[in-house]
Amino acid sequence: MTDPTLYKQTAAETAAAIAAGEVSAVEVAEAHLDRIAKVDDRINAFLHVDTEGALAAARAVDAKRAAGERLGPLAGVPLALKDLFTTHGIPTTCGSKILEGWLPPYDATVTRRLREADVVILGKSNMDEFAMGSSTENSAYGPTRNPWDLDRIPGGSGGGSAAALASFQAPLAIGTDTGGSIRQPGAVTGTVGVKPTYGGVSRFGMVAFSSSLDQAGPCARTVLDAALLHEAIAGHDPLDSTSINAAVPAVVEAAKLGATQGIKGMRVGVVRQFSGEGYQAGVVQRFQESVELLRTLGAEVVEIDCPSFDYALPAYYLIAPSECSSNLARFDAMRYGLRVGDDGNHSAEEVTALTREAGFGAEVKRRIMLGTYALSSGYYDAYYGQAQKVRTLIIRDFEAAFTQVDVLVSPTTPTTAFKIGERVDDPMAMYLADLCTIPTNLAGNAGMSLPCGLAPEDGLPVGLQILAPAMADDRLYRVGAALEAALLEQWGRPILESVPAL
């Protein structure tokens, strides 16, 4: 029987044990692969498990240690990689039938940096198709289930990554955040999720949904683990024209500083727009308790008014579908992936149409149609153009707020995890799950969600969101680590120890 300590440790603890020779990287990888075999038939966090590749990577780490080579901060630590990143010779489907069986000929920059850091990639995690969704119910390969309650969603679009963490199948994961797809799953699974500054992590090889909004980021069970992963994947990439050519903020140092020295003297703003009707009472209660805890840690807390945030949701659902309708035009059945009707009796246009009809799911089709309409002649200025003007107002609200405070805080999502199937026929109700997370994507700022307790009415995790200015990602980690340490002292044990046994 696998020793639970091998898969319940933090990433930092695991890396330290491997570096010290207390355990081998192979033993750690095998423990996690055994855990996946034991529980993932009930969770569906993984779309593909790369057993051979993971063990080969682990053996390479052990060989380096045996040769006396210096190991990196995450060497030998297992990870679940969202199936949106290309992986050479390993299936990349984006949760869609249109890419079923596709083996990319190259690695994404994030994938390459993980390999260079000697991180052990266990496999590819489930997701809403092409990252379009808030529940991971839109995957063509079945929904992922929340380890806290198997009848509930794990968030989306990166529910597979978050569920893998919460069910102890991996100590680290990578997600992408276009409108909250890292932070919202983190909130509803009791894990930590970070959206770095836009351009802080390369998008090369990350299959595009909405190019001006998409951002890769770290998912973990602790703030320090997220910081270690953040530093491993971040930094300038000449292959990505939107990549920021600047030093990566010192996020690991900030996390350590927050945990040991706190946040005395920092100014924290509570966003007035993220409260009121539609917010679950238990979510509001835990959020308010966390704000009071920030005060006891020495932070000055003030209310901040960001009036344009009220228009973020409609602006997002014009900008994101518009960009997705352009990006997904490349899936034309001509170059890779699914091809339907290629029997000599159909024209190229008919093959493309038949393939897209069979290969795309309902939510992807909905967004392509919305975006195509918003970009069409006579409507571009009225819809897409106006949405971009709203985006500018949101950016200005953030700029004004950050002249008054160091960070902003809010609930990450208005409710705890809802039941699978509960919102599938109500797109607006589904979209409201990202109400609090969308503004920072539109502005390109940095954001984090960390667990702040369990809602009293249902015993499910609540997430607190921290927002920081662009390239001030270190502030997220300082405040997050300080709050995490204080909450841990209150709880007396990590929140994930309350997950029902699987």
Side-chain angles (χ1 to χ4, degrees), residues 284-304:
V284 173
Q285 180 183 335
R286 292 294 177 244
F287 171 69
Q288 291 175 343
E289 290 169 355
S290 297
V291 170
E292 289 305 310
L293 191 52
L294 289 170
R295 279 197 178 96
T296 67
L297 293 173
E300 181 183 351
V301 178
V302 297
E303 186 174 80
I304 295 292

Side-chain angles (χ1 to χ4, degrees), residues 300-317:
E300 181 183 351
V301 178
V302 297
E303 186 174 80
I304 295 292
D305 189 33
C306 297
S308 297
F309 285 14
D310 287 336
Y311 307 104
L313 192 70
Y316 174 88
Y317 278 104

Side-chain angles (χ1 to χ4, degrees), residues 168-475:
F168 297 98
Q169 297 184 66
L172 295 175
I174 296 289
T176 63
D177 197 307
T178 304
S181 290
I182 288 174
R183 289 163 290 156
Q184 185 250 9
V188 301
T189 60
T191 58
V192 178
V194 179
K195 186 204 89 68
T197 296
Y198 179 80
V201 179
S202 174
R203 291 188 299 112
F204 178 76
M206 185 179 100
V207 181
F209 159 20
S210 178
S211 300
S212 74
L213 299 167
D214 297 342
Q215 184 56 60
C219 310
R221 293 197 287 257
T222 72
V223 172
L224 176 59
D225 284 357
L228 290 165
L229 184 54
H230 188 140
E231 287 200 351
I233 62 173
H236 180 246
D237 178 14
L239 298 175
D240 175 3
S241 63
T242 60
S243 176
I244 297 172
N245 191 0
V248 178
V251 294
V252 172
E253 180 184 341
K256 292 177 178 177
L257 194 65
T260 56
Q261 298 186 28
I263 54 170
K264 189 173 183 179
M266 291 188 75
R267 288 177 59 85
V268 174
V270 176
V271 181
R272 186 176 67 82
Q273 279 67 26
F274 294 150
S275 61
E277 187 179 348
Y279 285 75
Q280 186 176 321
V283 169
V284 173
Q285 180 183 335
R286 292 294 177 244
F287 171 69
Q288 291 175 343
E289 290 169 355
S290 297
V291 170
E292 289 305 310
L293 191 52
L294 289 170
R295 279 197 178 96
T296 67
L297 293 173
E300 181 183 351
V301 178
V302 297
E303 186 174 80
I304 295 292
D305 189 33
C306 297
S308 297
F309 285 14
D310 287 336
Y311 307 104
L313 192 70
Y316 174 88
Y317 278 104
L318 285 168
I319 294 170
S322 295
E323 294 184 3
C324 110
S325 75
S326 175
N327 279 323
L328 269 62
R330 72 192 63 179
F331 300 102
D332 56 7
M334 295 296 116
R335 289 164 288 183
Y336 43 75
L338 182 70
R339 181 177 295 183
V340 177
D342 186 19
D343 54 9
N345 297 318
H346 297 88
S347 67
E349 290 82 3
E350 288 171 334
V351 169
T352 296
L354 289 168
T355 300
R356 289 167 71 83
E357 167 62 26
F360 287 142
E363 183 62 25
V364 171
K365 290 174 183 173
R366 178 184 292 118
R367 297 197 195 194
I368 289 173
M369 288 188 289
L370 282 170
T372 303
Y373 182 81
L375 293 176
S376 61
S377 177
Y379 296 99
Y380 180 97
D381 290 335
Y383 292 109
Y384 185 73
Q386 286 295 103
Q388 292 288 18
K389 291 177 182 178
V390 171
R391 186 178 197 169
T392 298
L393 295 177
I394 290 166
I395 291 169
R396 289 175 181 170
D397 275 359
F398 270 117
E399 289 172 346
F402 288 129
T403 64
Q404 302 172 65
V405 295
D406 297 303
V407 298
L408 297 169
V409 296
S410 76
T412 306
T413 188
T415 69
T416 56
F418 48 90
K419 289 195 172 182
I420 291 173
E422 188 176 300
R423 301 187 186 183
V424 290
D425 296 323
D426 188 348
M428 273 307 301
M430 186 74 77
Y431 297 165
L432 287 170
D434 298 329
L435 188 67
C436 304
T437 53
I438 280 173
T440 198
N441 293 91
L442 291 169
N445 296 332
M448 169 189 286
S449 178
L450 75 156
C452 64
L454 304 178
E457 60 266 61
D458 55 25
L460 295 172
V462 175
L464 177 132
Q465 178 176 231
I466 308 168
L467 304 175
M471 295 307 288
D473 305 51
D474 51 320
R475 296 186 197 176

